[in-house]
Amino acid sequence: MGLKEEFEEYAEKAKTLPESTTNENKLVLYGLYKQATVGPVDTSRPGIFNMRDRAKWDAWKAVEAKTKDEAMSDYITKVKQLLEEATASA
């Protein structure tokens, strides 16, 4: 299985993460996902009154130096880690 296929598989598995997954972890996944699929941030930073979108933008901006392949690989690792934690605490 190639990296892209594995990435897509884990993008689906990420949807099964429990509600208890922290916002911080969700933002890390969001940033890596966007970096892997779109590449570096291509929009301007949302305004101060839009905290949710601003946090998502910041998470994406934080990983802008990664290549798409690095972002895919890190995303897969993070989803695996979160799924293991969810199973361990269940």
Side-chain angles (χ1 to χ4, degrees):
M1 182 183 334
L3 181 61
K4 189 161 175 33
E5 290 79 17
E6 191 177 5
F7 171 75
E8 287 166 2
E9 179 187 327
Y10 276 91
E12 282 303 308
K13 287 183 178 182
K15 295 175 185 171
T16 70
L17 288 168
E19 284 296 308
S20 59
T21 304
T22 65
N23 276 342
E24 187 183 347
N25 281 324
K26 288 177 186 171
L27 285 170
V28 169
L29 289 179
Y30 175 84
L32 290 169
Y33 183 87
K34 293 294 277 188
Q35 186 70 16
T37 56
V38 180
V41 172
D42 58 359
T43 59
S44 55
R45 191 172 190 229
I48 190 106
F49 298 109
N50 195 340
M51 296 307 284
R52 184 165 176 260
D53 287 345
R54 194 175 172 106
K56 289 167 82 171
W57 190 94
D58 288 346
W60 184 7
K61 182 79 173 165
V63 295
E64 72 179 344
K66 293 182 186 296
T67 66
K68 286 187 175 188
D69 284 356
E70 286 172 332
M72 282 185 199
S73 181
D74 288 357
Y75 181 90
I76 293 163
T77 301
K78 187 71 177 173
V79 173
K80 282 180 182 172
Q81 176 202 336
L82 293 172
L83 287 169
E84 283 169 14
E85 287 173 8
T87 305
S89 65

